[in-house]
Amino acid sequence: LPEFPITNAGGEDCAVVTALALDIDAPPVTPLQMQMRLALLGMRPAGLMVDVTNYVMLETGQPTHAYDRDHVDAFEVRHARSNARLRTLDGQDRTLQPEDLLICNEDGPIALAGIMGGNNSGVGAATTRFVIESAQYRAARVRRTASRLGLRTEASQRFEKSLPPALSAVATGRILHLLDRCGAVPRAVSRFTVDGDLRRETRNIEMSVGDVSQNAGADIPDEETDRILTALGFTVRRSGRRMIVGVPPYRSIQDISMPIDVVEEVLRVYGYANIAPVLPNARISPVDADPDQVRQRKARHLLAGRYGFAELQTYLWMDDAWLREIGFDPAPTLRLKNPIAPDKVRLRTTLVPNLLKAAQDNANTRTEFGVFEIGRVILAEDTPHREVDHLAGVSVRSSRDMPLEEHYRAVKGALSALVRTIGQGGVRTELLPVSRGDVPWHVPDLTAGLLDDSGPIGRIGVLHGPILDRVAPGRQVIWFELELDRLTQVAYPIRTFTPYSEYPSSSQDFSILWGTGKGFAALEDVLDEFEHHLIQKRELLLVYKGKGLAPGMASYTFRYALSDSERTLDGDDLDDFREAMLDFLKSREISLRYAPTG
Protein backbone atom coordinates (compact mmCIF):
# COMPACT_ATOMS: atom_id res chain seq x y z
CA LEU A 1 0.00 0.00 0.00
CA PRO A 2 1.22 3.53 -0.69
CA GLU A 3 1.97 6.04 2.02
CA PHE A 4 -0.46 8.91 2.61
CA PRO A 5 1.21 12.21 1.66
CA ILE A 6 2.35 13.99 4.89
CA THR A 7 4.63 16.99 5.42
CA ASN A 8 5.53 17.91 8.99
CA ALA A 9 6.88 21.47 9.02
CA GLY A 10 5.77 22.18 12.59
CA GLY A 11 9.26 21.86 14.08
CA GLU A 12 9.25 21.51 17.85
CA ASP A 13 5.53 22.31 17.95
CA CYS A 14 4.72 18.93 16.33
CA ALA A 15 6.66 15.88 17.52
CA VAL A 16 4.92 13.45 15.14
CA VAL A 17 1.95 13.32 12.77
CA THR A 18 0.41 10.10 11.48
CA ALA A 19 -2.25 9.28 8.89
CA LEU A 20 -4.15 6.21 7.69
CA ALA A 21 -6.52 6.22 4.69
CA LEU A 22 -9.40 3.71 4.70
CA ASP A 23 -12.71 3.04 2.98
CA ILE A 24 -16.00 1.87 4.41
CA ASP A 25 -18.59 1.00 1.79
CA ALA A 26 -21.66 1.41 3.97
CA PRO A 27 -20.97 2.80 7.45
CA PRO A 28 -23.46 1.22 9.89
CA VAL A 29 -25.25 2.98 12.71
CA THR A 30 -23.21 3.40 15.87
CA PRO A 31 -24.04 0.58 18.31
CA LEU A 32 -26.53 1.65 20.97
CA GLN A 33 -24.16 0.77 23.81
CA MET A 34 -21.50 3.12 22.43
CA GLN A 35 -24.05 5.89 21.91
CA MET A 36 -25.28 5.55 25.51
CA ARG A 37 -21.75 5.64 26.90
CA LEU A 38 -20.91 8.76 24.88
CA ALA A 39 -24.13 10.46 26.00
CA LEU A 40 -23.41 9.68 29.66
CA LEU A 41 -20.01 11.30 29.22
CA GLY A 42 -21.52 14.45 27.73
CA MET A 43 -20.96 13.81 24.00
CA ARG A 44 -23.68 13.85 21.39
CA PRO A 45 -23.60 10.89 18.94
CA ALA A 46 -22.87 12.19 15.41
CA GLY A 47 -22.28 9.16 13.15
CA LEU A 48 -20.09 6.08 13.37
CA MET A 49 -16.68 7.55 12.46
CA VAL A 50 -17.07 10.63 14.67
CA ASP A 51 -18.45 8.49 17.50
CA VAL A 52 -15.54 6.05 17.33
CA THR A 53 -12.89 8.78 17.33
CA ASN A 54 -14.58 10.45 20.32
CA TYR A 55 -14.86 7.09 22.08
CA VAL A 56 -11.16 6.37 21.58
CA MET A 57 -10.24 9.85 22.85
CA LEU A 58 -12.18 9.22 26.06
CA GLU A 59 -10.76 5.70 26.35
CA THR A 60 -7.06 6.39 25.68
CA GLY A 61 -6.76 10.17 26.21
CA GLN A 62 -5.44 10.61 22.64
CA PRO A 63 -7.47 12.93 20.37
CA THR A 64 -7.75 11.91 16.72
CA HIS A 65 -9.57 13.44 13.77
CA ALA A 66 -11.31 11.88 10.77
CA TYR A 67 -11.37 13.78 7.44
CA ASP A 68 -13.37 13.24 4.25
CA ARG A 69 -10.81 12.04 1.70
CA ASP A 70 -12.87 13.53 -1.12
CA HIS A 71 -11.71 16.92 0.21
CA VAL A 72 -8.34 16.01 1.73
CA ASP A 73 -5.71 14.22 -0.31
CA ALA A 74 -2.61 15.29 1.68
CA PHE A 75 -1.54 16.74 5.03
CA GLU A 76 0.87 19.56 5.73
CA VAL A 77 1.45 20.62 9.33
CA ARG A 78 2.82 24.18 9.42
CA HIS A 79 2.48 27.52 11.15
CA ALA A 80 -0.07 30.07 9.96
CA ARG A 81 0.88 32.73 7.49
CA SER A 82 0.19 36.43 7.96
CA ASN A 83 -3.51 37.39 7.95
CA ALA A 84 -4.60 33.73 7.67
CA ARG A 85 -8.21 32.89 8.52
CA LEU A 86 -10.02 29.62 9.21
CA ARG A 87 -13.70 28.78 9.70
CA THR A 88 -13.79 26.05 12.34
CA LEU A 89 -16.41 23.33 12.83
CA ASP A 90 -18.41 25.61 15.15
CA GLY A 91 -18.98 27.99 12.24
CA GLN A 92 -16.78 30.78 13.62
CA ASP A 93 -14.24 32.62 11.46
CA ARG A 94 -10.90 32.67 13.30
CA THR A 95 -8.16 35.21 12.64
CA LEU A 96 -4.82 33.48 13.08
CA GLN A 97 -1.35 34.62 14.10
CA PRO A 98 1.96 33.41 12.62
CA GLU A 99 2.76 31.21 15.65
CA ASP A 100 -0.55 29.27 15.42
CA LEU A 101 -0.17 25.68 14.16
CA LEU A 102 -2.36 24.45 11.29
CA ILE A 103 -3.13 21.28 9.37
CA CYS A 104 -3.42 22.15 5.69
CA ASN A 105 -4.03 20.55 2.29
CA GLU A 106 -3.30 22.00 -1.12
CA ASP A 107 -6.23 24.46 -0.83
CA GLY A 108 -5.20 25.86 2.54
CA PRO A 109 -5.96 25.30 6.27
CA ILE A 110 -8.34 22.48 7.15
CA ALA A 111 -7.85 22.36 10.94
CA LEU A 112 -6.47 24.25 13.90
CA ALA A 113 -3.91 21.69 15.07
CA GLY A 114 -4.78 20.08 18.39
CA ILE A 115 -7.90 22.20 18.89
CA MET A 116 -10.65 21.92 16.25
CA GLY A 117 -11.13 20.91 12.60
CA GLY A 118 -12.35 23.16 9.80
CA ASN A 119 -15.87 23.01 8.45
CA ASN A 120 -14.68 22.28 4.89
CA SER A 121 -13.29 18.80 5.52
CA GLY A 122 -15.45 17.13 8.14
CA VAL A 123 -17.06 13.74 7.57
CA GLY A 124 -20.80 13.37 7.05
CA ALA A 125 -23.41 10.64 6.91
CA ALA A 126 -22.62 9.94 3.23
CA THR A 127 -18.82 9.84 3.62
CA THR A 128 -17.22 6.48 2.69
CA ARG A 129 -13.62 7.54 2.07
CA PHE A 130 -11.78 8.58 5.24
CA VAL A 131 -8.34 9.55 6.46
CA ILE A 132 -7.57 9.33 10.20
CA GLU A 133 -5.07 11.86 11.50
CA SER A 134 -3.36 11.42 14.88
CA ALA A 135 -0.47 13.57 16.09
CA GLN A 136 1.33 14.99 19.08
CA TYR A 137 1.54 18.77 19.45
CA ARG A 138 3.54 20.80 21.96
CA ALA A 139 1.40 21.50 25.00
CA ALA A 140 2.45 25.13 25.36
CA ARG A 141 1.60 25.93 21.73
CA VAL A 142 -1.88 24.40 21.98
CA ARG A 143 -2.53 26.15 25.29
CA ARG A 144 -1.52 29.60 24.03
CA THR A 145 -3.56 29.38 20.84
CA ALA A 146 -6.65 27.98 22.59
CA SER A 147 -6.48 30.62 25.31
CA ARG A 148 -6.04 33.50 22.87
CA LEU A 149 -8.98 32.34 20.73
CA GLY A 150 -11.14 31.39 23.72
CA LEU A 151 -11.53 27.93 22.17
CA ARG A 152 -10.95 25.28 24.84
CA THR A 153 -12.06 21.92 23.43
CA GLU A 154 -11.95 18.30 24.56
CA ALA A 155 -8.95 17.80 22.28
CA SER A 156 -7.01 20.89 23.39
CA GLN A 157 -7.41 20.05 27.08
CA ARG A 158 -5.80 16.67 26.46
CA PHE A 159 -2.97 17.95 24.28
CA GLU A 160 -2.18 20.48 27.02
CA LYS A 161 -1.17 17.54 29.23
CA SER A 162 1.86 16.62 27.04
CA LEU A 163 0.76 13.22 25.70
CA PRO A 164 3.39 10.64 24.65
CA PRO A 165 3.95 10.41 20.86
CA ALA A 166 3.53 6.61 20.81
CA LEU A 167 -0.10 7.08 21.84
CA SER A 168 -0.87 8.25 18.27
CA ALA A 169 -0.27 4.74 16.91
CA VAL A 170 -2.18 3.16 19.80
CA ALA A 171 -5.25 5.33 19.16
CA THR A 172 -5.26 4.63 15.40
CA GLY A 173 -5.04 0.88 16.02
CA ARG A 174 -7.87 1.10 18.54
CA ILE A 175 -10.08 2.93 15.99
CA LEU A 176 -9.58 0.15 13.43
CA HIS A 177 -10.43 -2.47 16.04
CA LEU A 178 -13.66 -0.73 17.11
CA LEU A 179 -14.76 -0.12 13.50
CA ASP A 180 -14.36 -3.81 12.84
CA ARG A 181 -16.27 -4.69 16.04
CA CYS A 182 -19.10 -2.37 14.92
CA GLY A 183 -19.43 -4.23 11.59
CA ALA A 184 -18.07 -1.42 9.43
CA VAL A 185 -15.51 -3.68 7.62
CA PRO A 186 -12.84 -0.95 7.14
CA ARG A 187 -10.34 -1.41 4.29
CA ALA A 188 -6.98 0.33 4.56
CA VAL A 189 -6.00 1.97 1.27
CA SER A 190 -2.69 3.41 2.55
CA ARG A 191 0.06 2.42 4.89
CA PHE A 192 0.09 3.79 8.43
CA THR A 193 2.19 6.82 7.55
CA VAL A 194 4.41 8.56 10.12
CA ASP A 195 6.33 11.81 9.88
CA GLY A 196 8.30 12.39 13.09
CA ASP A 197 9.36 10.22 16.02
CA LEU A 198 6.79 7.97 17.69
CA ARG A 199 9.28 7.20 20.47
CA ARG A 200 8.24 3.59 20.83
CA GLU A 201 11.25 2.63 22.90
CA THR A 202 10.78 1.53 26.51
CA ARG A 203 12.18 3.88 29.15
CA ASN A 204 13.89 2.27 32.14
CA ILE A 205 13.71 3.53 35.73
CA GLU A 206 16.12 2.01 38.24
CA MET A 207 14.97 1.85 41.85
CA SER A 208 15.53 -0.03 45.10
CA VAL A 209 13.55 -3.18 45.84
CA GLY A 210 12.34 -1.65 49.10
CA ASP A 211 11.18 1.69 47.63
CA VAL A 212 7.52 0.64 47.33
CA SER A 213 7.16 -0.66 50.89
CA GLN A 214 9.21 2.18 52.37
CA ASN A 215 7.10 4.90 50.75
CA ALA A 216 3.85 3.06 51.45
CA GLY A 217 4.66 2.58 55.11
CA ALA A 218 3.49 -1.03 54.78
CA ASP A 219 5.00 -4.33 53.67
CA ILE A 220 3.85 -4.92 50.07
CA PRO A 221 5.15 -8.26 48.73
CA ASP A 222 7.44 -8.17 45.71
CA GLU A 223 5.10 -10.57 43.90
CA GLU A 224 2.19 -8.16 44.31
CA THR A 225 4.31 -5.24 43.06
CA ASP A 226 5.34 -7.22 39.97
CA ARG A 227 1.76 -8.33 39.28
CA ILE A 228 0.40 -4.77 39.43
CA LEU A 229 3.15 -3.27 37.26
CA THR A 230 2.88 -6.03 34.67
CA ALA A 231 -0.89 -5.61 34.48
CA LEU A 232 -0.34 -1.91 33.79
CA GLY A 233 2.02 -2.66 30.89
CA PHE A 234 5.32 -2.17 32.73
CA THR A 235 8.18 -4.64 32.71
CA VAL A 236 10.11 -5.57 35.84
CA ARG A 237 13.64 -6.98 36.12
CA ARG A 238 15.23 -7.63 39.52
CA SER A 239 18.91 -7.90 40.34
CA GLY A 240 19.80 -8.23 44.01
CA ARG A 241 18.46 -5.17 45.85
CA ARG A 242 17.83 -3.27 42.62
CA MET A 243 14.91 -3.42 40.22
CA ILE A 244 14.61 -1.98 36.73
CA VAL A 245 11.11 -0.97 35.70
CA GLY A 246 10.42 -0.56 31.98
CA VAL A 247 7.87 2.19 31.28
CA PRO A 248 5.63 1.48 28.25
CA PRO A 249 6.01 4.07 25.46
CA TYR A 250 2.37 5.10 25.66
CA ARG A 251 2.92 6.53 29.20
CA SER A 252 3.98 10.17 29.23
CA ILE A 253 7.39 11.16 30.60
CA GLN A 254 5.62 13.95 32.51
CA ASP A 255 3.61 11.23 34.25
CA ILE A 256 6.27 8.55 34.84
CA SER A 257 9.86 9.76 35.16
CA MET A 258 11.21 8.83 38.62
CA PRO A 259 10.96 6.00 41.18
CA ILE A 260 8.27 7.71 43.25
CA ASP A 261 6.02 7.78 40.15
CA VAL A 262 6.33 3.98 39.90
CA VAL A 263 5.47 3.69 43.59
CA GLU A 264 2.34 5.76 42.99
CA GLU A 265 1.27 3.44 40.16
CA VAL A 266 1.53 0.44 42.47
CA LEU A 267 -0.25 2.07 45.39
CA ARG A 268 -3.22 3.40 43.45
CA VAL A 269 -3.98 -0.15 42.28
CA TYR A 270 -3.05 -1.83 45.56
CA GLY A 271 -5.43 0.57 47.31
CA TYR A 272 -4.57 3.25 49.84
CA ALA A 273 -7.43 1.96 52.00
CA ASN A 274 -5.52 -1.32 52.39
CA ILE A 275 -2.63 0.47 54.13
CA ALA A 276 -3.19 0.77 57.88
CA PRO A 277 -2.33 4.24 59.19
CA VAL A 278 0.44 4.07 61.81
CA LEU A 279 1.75 7.05 63.74
CA PRO A 280 5.53 7.43 63.56
CA ASN A 281 7.51 6.41 66.62
CA ALA A 282 9.55 9.55 67.20
CA ARG A 283 11.37 10.66 70.32
CA ILE A 284 10.41 14.19 71.33
CA SER A 285 13.18 16.11 73.04
CA PRO A 286 13.21 19.73 74.17
CA VAL A 287 14.80 22.29 71.91
CA ASP A 288 17.40 24.46 73.59
CA ALA A 289 16.47 28.12 73.57
CA ASP A 290 18.59 30.29 71.34
CA PRO A 291 19.86 33.18 73.52
CA ASP A 292 19.80 35.70 70.67
CA GLN A 293 16.20 34.88 69.77
CA VAL A 294 15.12 35.03 73.41
CA ARG A 295 16.70 38.48 73.84
CA GLN A 296 15.05 39.75 70.68
CA ARG A 297 11.68 38.35 71.72
CA LYS A 298 11.91 40.00 75.13
CA ALA A 299 12.88 43.31 73.54
CA ARG A 300 9.90 43.16 71.19
CA HIS A 301 7.44 42.37 73.96
CA LEU A 302 8.77 45.18 76.14
CA LEU A 303 8.97 47.98 73.55
CA ALA A 304 5.73 47.09 71.75
CA GLY A 305 3.67 45.82 74.66
CA ARG A 306 4.61 48.20 77.48
CA TYR A 307 5.92 51.34 75.78
CA GLY A 308 3.76 51.51 72.63
CA PHE A 309 6.47 51.33 69.97
CA ALA A 310 5.53 49.78 66.62
CA GLU A 311 8.00 47.33 65.07
CA LEU A 312 9.17 47.92 61.48
CA GLN A 313 11.16 45.81 59.06
CA THR A 314 13.12 47.90 56.57
CA TYR A 315 15.35 46.73 53.75
CA LEU A 316 18.93 45.53 54.23
CA TRP A 317 20.14 48.22 51.86
CA MET A 318 20.13 52.00 52.15
CA ASP A 319 18.55 54.53 49.81
CA ASP A 320 21.30 56.77 48.37
CA ALA A 321 18.78 59.50 47.54
CA TRP A 322 17.69 59.66 51.18
CA LEU A 323 21.30 59.57 52.40
CA ARG A 324 22.10 62.56 50.19
CA GLU A 325 19.07 64.39 51.53
CA ILE A 326 20.15 64.01 55.17
CA GLY A 327 23.87 64.41 54.35
CA PHE A 328 25.21 61.00 55.41
CA ASP A 329 28.01 59.09 53.69
CA PRO A 330 28.27 55.58 55.21
CA ALA A 331 31.45 54.53 53.35
CA PRO A 332 32.87 51.96 53.44
CA THR A 333 30.01 49.53 52.73
CA LEU A 334 29.42 46.28 50.94
CA ARG A 335 27.73 46.78 47.58
CA LEU A 336 25.14 44.61 45.84
CA LYS A 337 26.05 43.20 42.43
CA ASN A 338 22.42 43.09 41.30
CA PRO A 339 20.54 45.86 43.17
CA ILE A 340 16.82 46.35 42.69
CA ALA A 341 17.51 49.98 41.71
CA PRO A 342 20.64 52.02 40.91
CA ASP A 343 20.34 54.07 44.13
CA LYS A 344 19.86 51.03 46.41
CA VAL A 345 23.32 49.50 46.15
CA ARG A 346 24.95 49.83 49.58
CA LEU A 347 24.16 47.50 52.48
CA ARG A 348 23.28 49.28 55.71
CA THR A 349 25.86 49.86 58.43
CA THR A 350 23.29 51.33 60.82
CA LEU A 351 19.51 51.05 61.23
CA VAL A 352 18.92 54.74 61.97
CA PRO A 353 18.69 56.21 58.40
CA ASN A 354 15.91 53.85 57.32
CA LEU A 355 14.01 54.53 60.55
CA LEU A 356 14.38 58.30 60.08
CA LYS A 357 12.89 57.86 56.60
CA ALA A 358 10.00 55.92 58.12
CA ALA A 359 9.55 58.74 60.65
CA GLN A 360 9.40 61.29 57.83
CA ASP A 361 6.81 59.20 55.96
CA ASN A 362 4.58 58.95 59.04
CA ALA A 363 5.04 62.44 60.49
CA ASN A 364 2.47 63.88 58.07
CA THR A 365 -0.30 61.59 59.31
CA ARG A 366 0.53 60.97 62.99
CA THR A 367 0.98 63.52 65.78
CA GLU A 368 3.12 61.23 67.91
CA PHE A 369 4.47 57.71 67.48
CA GLY A 370 7.43 55.48 68.18
CA VAL A 371 8.94 52.86 65.88
CA PHE A 372 11.77 50.36 66.33
CA GLU A 373 13.54 47.70 64.33
CA ILE A 374 15.64 44.67 65.19
CA GLY A 375 17.84 43.89 62.22
CA ARG A 376 21.27 43.06 60.95
CA VAL A 377 23.86 45.60 59.86
CA ILE A 378 26.94 44.84 57.76
CA LEU A 379 30.20 46.34 59.01
CA ALA A 380 32.54 46.47 56.01
CA GLU A 381 35.46 48.25 57.66
CA ASP A 382 36.46 44.94 59.28
CA THR A 383 38.26 42.25 57.28
CA PRO A 384 36.38 40.07 56.70
CA HIS A 385 33.16 42.01 57.12
CA ARG A 386 31.00 41.42 60.21
CA GLU A 387 27.25 41.01 60.49
CA VAL A 388 25.89 42.38 63.77
CA ASP A 389 22.37 42.50 65.21
CA HIS A 390 21.23 45.99 66.20
CA LEU A 391 18.11 47.40 67.84
CA ALA A 392 17.22 50.95 66.92
CA GLY A 393 14.22 53.18 67.41
CA VAL A 394 12.81 56.64 66.76
CA SER A 395 10.28 58.47 68.94
CA VAL A 396 8.36 61.47 67.53
CA ARG A 397 6.34 63.84 69.72
CA SER A 398 4.77 67.28 69.52
CA SER A 399 6.33 70.03 71.65
CA ARG A 400 2.88 71.11 72.78
CA ASP A 401 2.07 67.69 74.26
CA MET A 402 5.31 66.99 76.15
CA PRO A 403 8.40 69.01 77.06
CA LEU A 404 11.55 67.71 75.40
CA GLU A 405 13.14 66.79 78.73
CA GLU A 406 10.16 64.64 79.71
CA HIS A 407 10.15 63.07 76.25
CA TYR A 408 13.84 62.21 76.62
CA ARG A 409 13.29 60.74 80.09
CA ALA A 410 10.42 58.60 78.78
CA VAL A 411 12.59 57.12 76.03
CA LYS A 412 15.47 56.61 78.41
CA GLY A 413 13.09 54.96 80.88
CA ALA A 414 12.05 52.47 78.18
CA LEU A 415 15.72 51.72 77.47
CA SER A 416 16.41 51.34 81.21
CA ALA A 417 13.65 48.73 81.44
CA LEU A 418 15.05 47.06 78.33
CA VAL A 419 18.56 46.82 79.77
CA ARG A 420 17.22 45.47 83.06
CA THR A 421 15.44 42.79 81.05
CA ILE A 422 18.19 41.69 78.63
CA GLY A 423 21.33 43.53 79.75
CA GLN A 424 23.55 43.86 82.80
CA GLY A 425 22.35 46.11 85.61
CA GLY A 426 20.94 49.57 84.90
CA VAL A 427 21.53 51.95 82.01
CA ARG A 428 23.73 55.05 82.23
CA THR A 429 24.45 57.83 79.78
CA GLU A 430 27.58 59.86 79.13
CA LEU A 431 27.84 62.84 76.82
CA LEU A 432 29.86 62.05 73.70
CA PRO A 433 32.17 64.45 71.89
CA VAL A 434 30.63 64.87 68.43
CA SER A 435 31.95 66.95 65.55
CA ARG A 436 29.52 68.57 63.17
CA GLY A 437 29.11 66.91 59.79
CA ASP A 438 30.30 63.47 60.92
CA VAL A 439 26.97 61.65 61.33
CA PRO A 440 24.03 64.02 60.84
CA TRP A 441 21.89 62.59 63.66
CA HIS A 442 24.86 62.84 66.09
CA VAL A 443 24.09 66.42 67.09
CA PRO A 444 26.75 68.09 69.30
CA ASP A 445 25.71 68.30 72.99
CA LEU A 446 22.59 66.25 72.19
CA THR A 447 24.16 62.81 71.67
CA ALA A 448 25.06 60.45 74.50
CA GLY A 449 26.53 57.01 74.85
CA LEU A 450 24.49 54.27 76.55
CA LEU A 451 26.23 51.98 79.04
CA ASP A 452 25.28 49.16 81.34
CA ASP A 453 27.42 47.38 83.92
CA SER A 454 29.34 45.57 81.16
CA GLY A 455 30.31 48.77 79.31
CA PRO A 456 29.12 50.68 76.19
CA ILE A 457 25.99 49.21 74.55
CA GLY A 458 24.79 51.95 72.15
CA ARG A 459 23.85 55.58 71.68
CA ILE A 460 20.90 57.92 72.14
CA GLY A 461 20.32 61.42 70.81
CA VAL A 462 17.96 64.27 70.02
CA LEU A 463 17.59 65.62 66.48
CA HIS A 464 18.13 69.33 66.05
CA GLY A 465 18.76 71.74 63.21
CA PRO A 466 18.77 70.76 59.51
CA ILE A 467 18.36 67.03 60.17
CA LEU A 468 15.21 67.69 62.25
CA ASP A 469 13.81 69.99 59.56
CA ARG A 470 14.15 67.21 56.98
CA VAL A 471 12.70 64.42 59.14
CA ALA A 472 9.88 66.05 61.14
CA PRO A 473 9.93 69.88 61.23
CA GLY A 474 8.29 71.35 64.32
CA ARG A 475 8.40 68.04 66.23
CA GLN A 476 10.66 66.39 68.79
CA VAL A 477 12.60 63.39 67.47
CA ILE A 478 14.67 61.16 69.73
CA TRP A 479 16.61 58.23 68.31
CA PHE A 480 18.54 55.35 69.85
CA GLU A 481 20.58 52.40 68.59
CA LEU A 482 21.86 49.44 70.62
CA GLU A 483 24.21 46.59 69.76
CA LEU A 484 22.27 43.51 70.82
CA ASP A 485 25.45 41.43 71.05
CA ARG A 486 26.58 43.66 73.94
CA LEU A 487 23.41 42.94 75.96
CA THR A 488 24.62 39.75 77.57
CA GLN A 489 22.04 38.73 80.14
CA VAL A 490 21.44 34.99 79.99
CA ALA A 491 18.28 33.87 78.21
CA TYR A 492 16.56 32.70 81.37
CA PRO A 493 18.32 34.28 84.38
CA ILE A 494 17.66 33.04 87.92
CA ARG A 495 15.04 35.30 89.43
CA THR A 496 15.53 36.41 93.01
CA PHE A 497 12.79 37.70 95.28
CA THR A 498 13.19 40.17 98.11
CA PRO A 499 10.22 39.74 100.43
CA TYR A 500 8.24 42.77 101.44
CA SER A 501 8.78 44.03 104.94
CA GLU A 502 6.13 43.06 107.46
CA TYR A 503 6.51 46.53 109.00
CA PRO A 504 5.03 49.77 107.63
CA SER A 505 7.16 52.00 105.43
CA SER A 506 7.60 55.74 105.33
CA SER A 507 8.79 58.29 102.77
CA GLN A 508 10.55 61.63 102.56
CA ASP A 509 10.51 64.12 99.66
CA PHE A 510 13.38 66.40 98.65
CA SER A 511 13.12 69.25 96.12
CA ILE A 512 16.64 69.64 94.77
CA LEU A 513 17.90 72.64 92.80
CA TRP A 514 20.01 71.70 89.79
CA GLY A 515 21.31 73.57 86.77
CA THR A 516 19.53 72.57 83.56
CA GLY A 517 22.78 72.89 81.64
CA LYS A 518 24.30 70.03 83.63
CA GLY A 519 21.62 67.59 82.50
CA PHE A 520 19.25 65.36 84.43
CA ALA A 521 21.45 62.29 83.89
CA ALA A 522 24.28 63.97 85.80
CA LEU A 523 21.94 64.64 88.75
CA GLU A 524 20.89 61.00 88.85
CA ASP A 525 24.53 59.93 88.81
CA VAL A 526 25.22 62.14 91.84
CA LEU A 527 22.18 60.84 93.77
CA ASP A 528 23.21 57.25 93.00
CA GLU A 529 26.28 57.84 95.16
CA PHE A 530 24.17 58.31 98.31
CA GLU A 531 23.66 55.05 100.18
CA HIS A 532 21.57 54.36 103.29
CA HIS A 533 20.27 51.09 104.70
CA LEU A 534 16.68 52.39 104.90
CA ILE A 535 16.35 53.29 101.19
CA GLN A 536 14.04 50.95 99.26
CA LYS A 537 13.34 53.09 96.16
CA ARG A 538 13.90 56.58 94.74
CA GLU A 539 11.21 58.11 92.53
CA LEU A 540 11.06 61.39 90.57
CA LEU A 541 7.80 63.18 91.33
CA LEU A 542 8.00 66.63 89.73
CA VAL A 543 10.17 68.95 87.66
CA TYR A 544 9.59 72.71 88.14
CA LYS A 545 11.22 75.50 86.12
CA GLY A 546 8.91 78.40 86.75
CA LYS A 547 8.67 81.55 88.81
CA GLY A 548 10.96 81.98 91.79
CA LEU A 549 13.93 80.09 90.43
CA ALA A 550 17.20 81.57 89.25
CA PRO A 551 17.84 81.51 85.49
CA GLY A 552 19.13 78.15 84.28
CA MET A 553 17.92 76.36 87.43
CA ALA A 554 15.23 73.71 87.87
CA SER A 555 13.68 72.02 90.87
CA TYR A 556 13.56 68.20 90.87
CA THR A 557 11.37 66.64 93.56
CA PHE A 558 12.36 63.09 94.54
CA ARG A 559 10.58 60.74 96.92
CA TYR A 560 12.59 58.22 98.92
CA ALA A 561 10.69 55.15 100.15
CA LEU A 562 12.11 54.01 103.53
CA SER A 563 11.59 50.80 105.49
CA ASP A 564 13.30 48.27 107.74
CA SER A 565 12.75 44.52 107.43
CA GLU A 566 13.05 43.91 111.21
CA ARG A 567 11.06 46.67 112.92
CA THR A 568 8.81 49.68 112.54
CA LEU A 569 10.62 52.94 111.87
CA ASP A 570 10.48 55.60 114.56
CA GLY A 571 11.20 59.34 114.57
CA ASP A 572 14.87 58.83 115.30
CA ASP A 573 15.23 56.65 112.19
CA LEU A 574 13.63 59.28 109.97
CA ASP A 575 15.69 62.08 111.53
CA ASP A 576 18.84 60.03 111.01
CA PHE A 577 18.03 59.50 107.34
CA ARG A 578 17.17 63.19 106.80
CA GLU A 579 20.39 64.37 108.41
CA ALA A 580 22.45 61.90 106.35
CA MET A 581 20.77 63.07 103.13
CA LEU A 582 21.27 66.74 103.96
CA ASP A 583 24.93 66.15 104.81
CA PHE A 584 25.40 64.36 101.49
CA LEU A 585 23.79 67.17 99.49
CA LYS A 586 25.85 69.76 101.38
CA SER A 587 29.05 67.84 100.59
CA ARG A 588 28.13 68.01 96.92
CA GLU A 589 27.21 71.72 97.15
CA ILE A 590 23.60 71.00 96.20
CA SER A 591 20.83 73.22 97.60
CA LEU A 592 17.19 72.44 98.41
CA ARG A 593 14.22 74.45 97.29
CA TYR A 594 12.06 73.26 100.18
CA ALA A 595 12.84 71.54 103.42
CA PRO A 596 12.26 67.78 103.38
CA THR A 597 8.79 66.51 104.28
CA GLY A 598 7.77 63.11 105.55
Side-chain angles (χ1 to χ4, degrees), residues 473-547:
R475 307 285 184 85
Q476 302 170 3
V477 179
I478 297 175
W479 63 268
F480 60 87
E481 186 164 21
L482 307 178
E483 296 183 40
L484 284 179
D485 293 343
R486 296 182 181 271
L487 299 174
T488 56
Q489 186 176 126
V490 296
Y492 295 102
I494 298 175
R495 297 297 184 184
T496 59
F497 173 70
T498 302
Y500 288 100
S501 174
E502 299 178 0
Y503 303 95
S505 63
S506 183
S507 64
Q508 289 194 6
D509 297 346
F510 296 85
S511 295
I512 299 172
L513 296 175
W514 185 258
T516 56
K518 299 179 182 179
F520 178 76
L523 175 59
E524 284 194 314
D525 291 340
V526 172
L527 296 180
D528 287 342
E529 298 176 11
F530 176 64
E531 297 179 355
H532 195 280
H533 69 279
L534 295 182
I535 296 178
Q536 299 299 313
K537 183 175 66 171
R538 184 184 73 223
E539 180 183 7
L540 176 67
L541 296 182
L542 178 67
V543 179
Y544 176 73
K545 299 179 181 179
K547 184 178 179 181

Side-chain angles (χ1 to χ4, degrees), residues 164 195 240 278 323 326 328 382 398 400 415 428 444 539 562 585:
D195 191 340
V278 178
L323 297 185
I326 63 176
F328 177 52
D382 299 336
S398 170
R400 294 175 299 178
L415 296 179
R428 306 188 308 278
E539 180 183 7
L562 311 174
L585 295 176

